[in-house]
Amino acid sequence: AMATEKCFAKGSPAPGPVPKGQLHLYSMRFCPFAQRTRLALNSKGIKYDTININLKEKPEWFLEKNPLGLVPALETSAGEVIYESSITCEYLDEAYPEKKLLPSSPFGKAQQRMLLEHFSKVIPYFYKIPSARRTGEDVSTQEVELKEKFAKLNEHLEKKKTKFFEGDTITMIDYMMWPFFERIEVLELKHCLDHTPELKKWTERMLEDPAVKATMFNMDTHKAFYKSVAEGKPDYDLGL
Amino acid sequence: KTSSPRCYIVTVYPAPGPVPKDQVRLYSMRFCPFAQRTSLVLHAKGIKFETINIHLKQKPDWFLEKNPEGLVPLIETPAGEVVNESVITSEFLDEMYPEKKLLPATPFGKAQQKMMLEHFSKITPHLFKISSAKRKGDDVSGLEAELKEKFTNLNEHLVKKKTKFFGGDTVTFIDYMMWPFFERLGMFEVQHCLDHTPELKKWTERMLEDPAVKAIMHSTEDHKTFYNNFLDGKPDFDYGL
C-alpha cells in the first residue's frame, strides 16, 4: 500500500509499477471529479492505491503516462491508463463485476447516461457563481437558472418516487452527482435547494452511504481548501 | 437495406403511432451531423429502422412531449423507450443489437474509444467557430492553426497505431462518431487543414468507401447550400427532396 497521501510534484520519483491485480488511482484529495472515481472504487470494494498529484507542478513521469495530466486517472498492472471521471467509472463497473453500479439493460444504462448529460450542464454553475461572486458580479440570474435545474432534478425524484435517482438503492448516477452536492454549502449555494425537498432528502440519504462517508470531507476542510485555491496557493496536502 | 420511407417534414402531421415491433424509430434531420452519427450506426449494424425527420424550427408538440429538449437525434423503441444524445443513442444501439459490434468487447477497449471521443469533442466547436468567424470576416488564422494541431494529433494516433481506422483495421464506433464532421470539412472550408496530415487524409478516403457512410452522405455542395441557408436563418430542412 502507498505510504503517503501527500501529493507528488515535479521532480518526485516515479512510483513503482502497478502490482498484478491492482490498480493505481491518480488523484487529488479535494477534486470533485476524482471523488467520483473514489466513490465507485470504494462502493465496489476494489483494491487500489492512491497517488495524489500536485496539479500545479505535475511530475514528469505522470505526464508521460497521461499526457493531458488530468486527474482522476487509473493505471492497471498491464500499464493501461484510463482518464476522465465518467470513463474511469464506467471502466471500473465493467472490469469489476461485483456490486454493479450501472443497470444491466441497455435502456437502463442509457437512462443513467442521459441523466449524467443533464447534470453536466449543472456543474458549470458550481464554478461560475462562486467565481462571479468573488469579482463582485451580480449572480441573481445564474442562481435562478441553477434553482430551475435543481427543480428539474427534484421533479425526477418526485415522479419516480424512488430514494435515489434511478431506484431505491444507490447507482452510478448518484455517485457522479454527489461530489458537487457535498460542496454546495461551502460554495454558498445551499439556499438553491430551498424549494426542492426531494433533492434535499436525497442529499441526506447520500450522507449515510458508506462510500460517501469514506471519501467525503467536512465543510471546514472544504472551506480551507477553497480558501487556499482562491489565494492562488492550493494546499493539496491540507490536513495531512 | 433500410425500410425508411421517403423523408417528409412533420410540422402539422399528427403524432406517429407506436414504433412497430421489429424496428426502432429515428427522429432526425437530414443535414444534422449529430443525427448522422446515429444513422451511421443503424446502417452499419443492419438494424431495421424508420426515420421521421423533424422541422427543427417548428417542432411538433408530440415530439416535444416525447423529448422536452426537442433535439435530434432521438431513438424510440417499440416499448416506447426514448433515448436522446448522439453518443448515448449510438451506444444504446450497439448494446441492444449484438450483431456487428461497433464497440470493442473489453472494458479497456471501450474506455479507449471513449477517451478518443472525448478528445474529438474538443475539435467540433472549432469547426463551427471557424465558419462563423469567416462569415463575419474575422481573422481565422489562429483558430485554423489550433485546428491543424488537433488534426496533427489525430494523424499521429494513426501513425503510431499503424491501423487503417482509429480503433483498428476495420471501422469501429469512434470512426462513425468522427465521420460526420470530416464529411463537412468542405462545408466549413477547412479542407486545407488536412494538408500536412497524410494518414488522416487517407482515413477520410477509406471512410468514403464505407457502405454506411456512402448510404447517407451528402455532397459538399449540398452541405454548403443547407448550411448557408441555415446560417441565414432560413433553413431548408427538406433541401434536395
Side-chain angles (χ1 to χ4, degrees), chain B residues 169-217:
Chain B
D169 282 325
T170 53
V171 180
T172 61
F173 190 83
I174 184 64
D175 302 292
Y176 286 132
M177 293 302 106
M178 292 170 50
W179 174 253
F181 300 93
F182 283 91
E183 184 177 305
R184 290 162 176 72
L185 290 189
M187 177 191 98
F188 288 119
E189 291 174 29
V190 294
Q191 314 97 298
H192 60 284
C193 293
L194 282 182
D195 282 350
H196 301 286
T197 52
E199 291 311 311
L200 189 56
K201 235 193 217 170
K202 283 188 218 153
W203 171 80
T204 66
E205 289 156 18
R206 289 180 204 115
M207 288 302 283
L208 285 164
E209 297 297 303
D210 178 77
V213 166
K214 287 208 269 203
I216 63 179
M217 67 177 296

Side-chain angles (χ1 to χ4, degrees), chain A:
Chain A
M2 282 330 284
T4 180
E5 281 187 80
K6 294 210 168 156
C7 66
F8 286 64
K10 214 184 260 186
S12 63
V18 182
K20 220 167 162 57
Q22 284 186 47
L23 222 48
H24 273 180
L25 167 69
Y26 299 99
S27 187
M28 190 278 279
R29 290 159 63 235
F30 303 101
C31 173
F33 294 95
Q35 188 179 2
R36 288 171 156 180
T37 314
R38 293 189 302 129
L39 284 163
L41 285 161
N42 274 275
S43 168
K44 291 173 70 69
I46 297 167
K47 199 167 172 214
Y48 68 103
D49 282 327
T50 303
I51 295 165
N52 289 309
I53 300 293
N54 183 317
L55 299 181
K56 287 245 169 197
E57 305 204 0
K58 296 170 187 176
E60 302 86 341
W61 50 259
F62 181 60
L63 293 168
E64 264 168 62
K65 283 181 205 290
N66 179 22
L68 291 181
L70 301 172
V71 296
L74 291 170
E75 188 181 0
T76 69
S77 52
E80 299 156 329
V81 172
I82 301 125
Y83 50 79
E84 284 298 322
S85 61
S86 57
I87 301 177
T88 58
C89 291
E90 287 211 353
Y91 168 80
L92 289 170
D93 209 47
E94 288 161 12
Y96 295 84
E98 305 78 27
K99 288 204 75 197
K100 283 291 190 195
L101 293 172
L102 283 171
S104 51
S105 68
F107 183 60
K109 286 193 181 77
Q111 285 178 307
Q112 294 253 344
R113 291 168 183 150
M114 288 189 282
L115 201 44
L116 184 62
E117 180 64 30
H118 271 287
F119 189 70
S120 73
K121 306 198 171 111
V122 179
I123 293 174
Y125 289 89
F126 286 90
Y127 291 90
K128 275 195 289 193
I129 296 176
S131 140
R133 277 199 199 122
R134 275 198 294 271
T135 57
E137 284 166 53
D138 174 30
V139 294
S140 45
T141 315
Q142 294 188 65
E143 285 196 1
V144 165
E145 288 169 8
L146 182 59
K147 283 179 188 166
E148 262 170 45
K149 292 194 178 311
F150 282 173
K152 287 235 165 82
L153 292 175
N154 195 70
E155 230 177 88
H156 180 106
L157 289 167
E158 266 178 352
K159 263 198 206 154
K160 286 195 81 124
K161 303 199 204 317
T162 50
K163 296 197 178 136
F164 299 96
F165 274 89
E166 288 296 322
D168 283 325
T169 52
I170 288 189
T171 61
M172 187 67 88
I173 187 61
D174 301 293
Y175 285 136
M176 300 302 277
M177 292 170 49
W178 173 253
F180 300 92
F181 286 93
E182 182 175 310
R183 290 156 176 74
I184 207 172
E185 195 171 352
V186 77
L187 294 174
E188 294 175 62
L189 294 169
K190 200 168 185 188
H191 61 285
C192 295
L193 286 178
D194 281 351
H195 302 287
T196 54
E198 291 310 313
L199 190 54
K200 243 195 212 169
K201 283 187 218 154
W202 171 81
T203 65
E204 290 156 17
R205 288 179 206 118
M206 290 300 285
L207 285 163
E208 297 296 305
D209 178 74
V212 167
K213 287 199 219 182
T215 61
M216 70 178 291
F217 286 106
N218 63 27
M219 185 157 116
D220 287 338
T221 311
H222 277 304
K223 208 170 188 182
F225 179 72
Y226 274 113
K227 184 158 185 277
S228 72
V229 172
E231 288 167 359
K233 286 198 231 140
D235 186 1
Y236 301 118
D237 290 341
L238 178 79
L240 292 180

